[in-house]
Amino acid sequence: MEVMEEGLVPWLLWRIWKNRNELLFRSKDYQAVATIAKARDDAQEWNSRVKVENVVVKNPITEEQIVRWDPPPSSRLKCNTDGSWKQEDGAGGGGWILRDHEGRMLWAWAKKLLEVGSALESEAEALRWAVSSLIGFGYRDVIFETDSQVLVKMIHGVEEIWPRMKPIIQEISILLSKSAGSEVRYYNRRGNKVADRIAKETTTFTSMVPKLYSIVPSWLGSCVEADKLFV
C-alpha cells in the first residue's frame, strides 16, 4: 500500500483534471473520497499492465518454440509429406519421410516434378506418392501428415476439389480405403521441416527418376536429428 501511495500523486492529478472537465462540460461533480479511490484504481490497473508486459517481453513464447514434429504412438508410424513449386516455370518437387515413434527414419522419397499447376498440386503429388509407395510396401495404420490445410479439407470432403486436382484426390482416397487405419492429417509447417527439406532438395536433381532412401542421406541428417531431440 505504501508503494502505491507514493506513486499516487500523478494519478490523483490526472483524475482531478478529468473531474474538472466533467464539471465544465457535463456539470457532473465528484466527491474527494471518490476521486482518491478512482486514482488508486487507475494506479493499480496501470501497475498490473506493466507487470504483464514485462513478463511477455522477458519470456516471449513464440509459435515456433511450441510447434515441432510430433512423434506417433509406439504402435503406429508417421509419414510427413511436402511439395515445392516455382510459379515461373511450373517446376516443383515432392518429398516424404516415414519415421517411428523414436524419430528413426525407415524410408524417405524425393522426386522432381515438371508441369505442376500450383503449389497445392505439388503437395498433393507428394502425398499421393507417399500413400501409394507405403501401401505398396505393405504398411498399414500410417499417419500421413501434410502442411497443406486445403489439401486435407479436399480429401475429407470439406472443401470443393479443383478440377485439375480430382484425379489425384480420388487416387489418394481409394488407396487410403485399402489401408486399414491409415489417415491423412494437417500439421503446421513448422513441424514439417524434414519433409520440406526433402522437397526443396529436388531442385538439385538432374534426373526425373525418383530417389528412395533407406539410410538418412548426409544432406538430411541434421534435420532428422533435430526432430529426435524432442522425442
Side-chain angles (χ1 to χ4, degrees):
M1 177 63 71
E2 292 181 0
V3 175
M4 187 168 68
E5 291 293 333
E6 289 177 3
L8 189 62
V9 175
W11 297 105
L12 188 57
L13 294 174
W14 169 249
R15 182 53 55 180
I16 291 173
W17 173 259
K18 293 190 69 173
N19 289 355
R20 171 187 174 277
N21 292 337
E22 289 283 326
L23 180 62
L24 289 176
F25 300 109
R26 301 178 62 183
S27 299
K28 193 171 182 179
D29 195 11
Y30 292 90
Q31 296 296 322
V33 175
T35 300
I36 294 173
K38 187 60 180 174
R40 284 180 177 143
D41 290 342
D42 292 340
Q44 188 173 14
E45 181 181 358
W46 173 262
N47 290 333
S48 298
R49 288 184 178 181
V50 170
K51 288 179 181 179
V52 171
E53 289 175 359
N54 285 340
V55 170
V56 172
V57 171
K58 293 178 181 178
N59 303 291
I61 300 176
T62 64
E63 185 180 8
E64 186 169 3
Q65 288 176 309
I66 297 174
V67 179
R68 51 181 178 262
W69 182 72
D70 185 34
S74 58
S75 60
R76 307 185 72 183
L77 299 174
K78 176 172 286 187
C79 178
N80 289 85
T81 73
D82 203 3
S84 64
W85 181 65
K86 290 184 178 180
Q87 186 175 5
E88 299 79 17
D89 55 9
W96 58 258
I97 179 170
L98 180 69
R99 286 174 285 186
D100 63 14
H101 66 286
E102 295 183 347
R104 292 176 298 192
M105 188 193 90
L106 304 177
W107 296 99
W109 172 95
K111 182 182 180 182
K112 195 178 187 70
L113 303 172
L114 294 179
E115 298 181 0
V116 182
S118 64
L120 180 62
E121 187 175 342
S122 69
E123 297 273 4
E125 284 288 2
L127 179 59
R128 180 172 71 88
W129 277 100
V131 176
S132 176
S133 299
L134 294 181
I135 290 178
F137 289 166
Y139 287 103
R140 298 292 182 269
D141 199 19
V142 178
I143 301 170
F144 293 93
E145 279 188 351
T146 172
D147 57 25
S148 175
Q149 198 165 18
V150 175
L151 176 58
V152 173
K153 287 182 177 180
M154 287 183 177
I155 293 172
H156 293 164
V158 178
E159 191 162 320
E160 184 178 356
I161 302 174
W162 300 356
R164 182 176 174 126
M165 298 286 294
K166 283 185 177 180
I168 305 175
I169 301 294
Q170 287 176 351
E171 184 174 350
I172 292 173
S173 299
I174 292 172
L175 288 169
L176 287 172
S177 68
K178 298 178 180 179
S179 178
S182 294
E183 59 181 314
V184 174
R185 298 178 182 176
Y186 162 77
Y187 200 68
N188 190 288
R189 65 188 305 175
R190 291 191 178 96
N192 200 38
K193 292 181 179 179
V194 175
D196 175 73
R197 177 68 180 85
I198 297 172
K200 289 179 178 177
E201 181 66 19
T202 61
T203 60
T204 66
F205 293 177
T206 57
S207 170
M208 295 298 297
V209 178
K211 294 186 178 182
L212 184 65
Y213 305 90
S214 60
I215 299 176
V216 181
S218 58
W219 50 267
L220 190 62
S222 60
C223 293
V224 173
E225 291 302 316
D227 278 350
K228 282 185 180 181
L229 296 175
F230 301 107
V231 175

